[in-house]
mmCIF file of all heavy atoms in Angstrom:
data_model
loop_
_atom_site.group_PDB
_atom_site.id
_atom_site.type_symbol
_atom_site.label_atom_id
_atom_site.label_comp_id
_atom_site.label_asym_id
_atom_site.label_seq_id
_atom_site.Cartn_x
_atom_site.Cartn_y
_atom_site.Cartn_z
ATOM 1 N N ALA A 483 -42.442 72.127 -29.590
ATOM 2 C CA ALA A 483 -42.629 70.709 -29.788
ATOM 3 C C ALA A 483 -41.578 70.067 -30.529
ATOM 4 O O ALA A 483 -41.183 68.849 -30.273
ATOM 5 C CB ALA A 483 -44.009 70.427 -30.391
ATOM 6 N N VAL A 484 -41.056 70.771 -31.481
ATOM 7 C CA VAL A 484 -39.978 70.214 -32.358
ATOM 8 C C VAL A 484 -38.701 69.933 -31.468
ATOM 9 O O VAL A 484 -38.092 68.793 -31.572
ATOM 10 C CB VAL A 484 -39.643 71.079 -33.538
ATOM 11 C CG1 VAL A 484 -38.389 70.664 -34.265
ATOM 12 C CG2 VAL A 484 -40.830 71.125 -34.476
ATOM 13 N N ASP A 485 -38.345 70.808 -30.647
ATOM 14 C CA ASP A 485 -37.095 70.698 -29.701
ATOM 15 C C ASP A 485 -37.386 69.493 -28.851
ATOM 16 O O ASP A 485 -36.536 68.683 -28.601
ATOM 17 C CB ASP A 485 -36.882 71.934 -29.054
ATOM 18 C CG ASP A 485 -36.133 72.965 -29.859
ATOM 19 O OD1 ASP A 485 -35.812 72.650 -31.041
ATOM 20 O OD2 ASP A 485 -36.171 74.184 -29.383
ATOM 21 N N LEU A 486 -38.576 69.379 -28.207
ATOM 22 C CA LEU A 486 -38.934 68.328 -27.272
ATOM 23 C C LEU A 486 -38.820 67.014 -28.045
ATOM 24 O O LEU A 486 -38.183 66.027 -27.532
ATOM 25 C CB LEU A 486 -40.294 68.503 -26.725
ATOM 26 C CG LEU A 486 -40.843 67.413 -25.844
ATOM 27 C CD1 LEU A 486 -39.903 67.287 -24.577
ATOM 28 C CD2 LEU A 486 -42.302 67.668 -25.456
ATOM 29 N N VAL A 487 -39.467 66.822 -29.174
ATOM 30 C CA VAL A 487 -39.514 65.573 -29.838
ATOM 31 C C VAL A 487 -38.065 65.222 -30.380
ATOM 32 O O VAL A 487 -37.659 64.009 -30.265
ATOM 33 C CB VAL A 487 -40.489 65.564 -30.986
ATOM 34 C CG1 VAL A 487 -40.301 64.425 -31.976
ATOM 35 C CG2 VAL A 487 -41.917 65.664 -30.462
ATOM 36 N N ASP A 488 -37.346 66.114 -30.895
ATOM 37 C CA ASP A 488 -35.983 65.827 -31.294
ATOM 38 C C ASP A 488 -35.052 65.351 -30.253
ATOM 39 O O ASP A 488 -34.236 64.413 -30.395
ATOM 40 C CB ASP A 488 -35.314 67.024 -31.974
ATOM 41 C CG ASP A 488 -35.894 67.348 -33.461
ATOM 42 O OD1 ASP A 488 -36.573 66.447 -33.956
ATOM 43 O OD2 ASP A 488 -35.589 68.371 -34.038
ATOM 44 N N TYR A 489 -35.202 66.032 -29.103
ATOM 45 C CA TYR A 489 -34.426 65.616 -27.839
ATOM 46 C C TYR A 489 -34.737 64.182 -27.460
ATOM 47 O O TYR A 489 -33.861 63.432 -27.198
ATOM 48 C CB TYR A 489 -34.693 66.597 -26.714
ATOM 49 C CG TYR A 489 -34.245 66.139 -25.412
ATOM 50 C CD1 TYR A 489 -32.870 66.048 -25.015
ATOM 51 C CD2 TYR A 489 -35.197 65.733 -24.452
ATOM 52 C CE1 TYR A 489 -32.550 65.580 -23.789
ATOM 53 C CE2 TYR A 489 -34.854 65.246 -23.180
ATOM 54 C CZ TYR A 489 -33.449 65.213 -22.811
ATOM 55 O OH TYR A 489 -33.063 64.777 -21.611
ATOM 56 N N LEU A 490 -36.104 63.895 -27.294
ATOM 57 C CA LEU A 490 -36.449 62.522 -26.902
ATOM 58 C C LEU A 490 -36.090 61.437 -27.968
ATOM 59 O O LEU A 490 -35.761 60.341 -27.565
ATOM 60 C CB LEU A 490 -37.953 62.478 -26.518
ATOM 61 C CG LEU A 490 -38.286 63.277 -25.265
ATOM 62 C CD1 LEU A 490 -39.808 63.333 -25.049
ATOM 63 C CD2 LEU A 490 -37.648 62.641 -24.042
ATOM 64 N N CYS A 491 -36.242 61.798 -29.253
ATOM 65 C CA CYS A 491 -35.839 60.808 -30.221
ATOM 66 C C CYS A 491 -34.406 60.476 -30.230
ATOM 67 O O CYS A 491 -34.043 59.398 -30.407
ATOM 68 C CB CYS A 491 -36.240 61.341 -31.629
ATOM 69 S SG CYS A 491 -37.985 61.262 -32.015
ATOM 70 N N LEU A 492 -33.605 61.478 -29.931
ATOM 71 C CA LEU A 492 -32.236 61.239 -29.776
ATOM 72 C C LEU A 492 -31.821 60.410 -28.494
ATOM 73 O O LEU A 492 -31.138 59.414 -28.592
ATOM 74 C CB LEU A 492 -31.390 62.602 -29.686
ATOM 75 C CG LEU A 492 -29.888 62.469 -29.367
ATOM 76 C CD1 LEU A 492 -29.171 61.587 -30.469
ATOM 77 C CD2 LEU A 492 -29.228 63.896 -29.273
ATOM 78 N N LEU A 493 -32.463 60.813 -27.362
ATOM 79 C CA LEU A 493 -32.260 60.118 -26.047
ATOM 80 C C LEU A 493 -32.742 58.702 -26.114
ATOM 81 O O LEU A 493 -32.106 57.749 -25.571
ATOM 82 C CB LEU A 493 -32.852 60.912 -24.930
ATOM 83 C CG LEU A 493 -32.436 60.603 -23.603
ATOM 84 C CD1 LEU A 493 -30.986 60.924 -23.300
ATOM 85 C CD2 LEU A 493 -33.241 61.341 -22.488
ATOM 86 N N LEU A 494 -33.924 58.444 -26.716
ATOM 87 C CA LEU A 494 -34.570 57.205 -26.644
ATOM 88 C C LEU A 494 -34.244 56.232 -27.807
ATOM 89 O O LEU A 494 -34.389 54.931 -27.572
ATOM 90 C CB LEU A 494 -36.072 57.365 -26.527
ATOM 91 C CG LEU A 494 -36.615 57.881 -25.227
ATOM 92 C CD1 LEU A 494 -38.065 58.282 -25.360
ATOM 93 C CD2 LEU A 494 -36.434 56.867 -24.098
ATOM 94 N N THR A 495 -33.761 56.779 -28.930
ATOM 95 C CA THR A 495 -33.568 55.886 -30.105
ATOM 96 C C THR A 495 -32.151 56.124 -30.771
ATOM 97 O O THR A 495 -31.888 55.429 -31.655
ATOM 98 C CB THR A 495 -34.609 56.026 -31.169
ATOM 99 O OG1 THR A 495 -34.428 57.335 -31.810
ATOM 100 C CG2 THR A 495 -36.013 56.037 -30.569
ATOM 101 N N GLY A 496 -31.487 57.128 -30.274
ATOM 102 C CA GLY A 496 -30.159 57.376 -30.988
ATOM 103 C C GLY A 496 -30.374 57.910 -32.394
ATOM 104 O O GLY A 496 -29.733 57.616 -33.310
#
Side-chain angles (χ1 to χ4, degrees):
V484 171
D485 284 348
L486 174 63
V487 169
D488 284 352
Y489 164 72
L490 288 174
C491 284
L492 174 59
L493 194 63
L494 289 168
T495 75

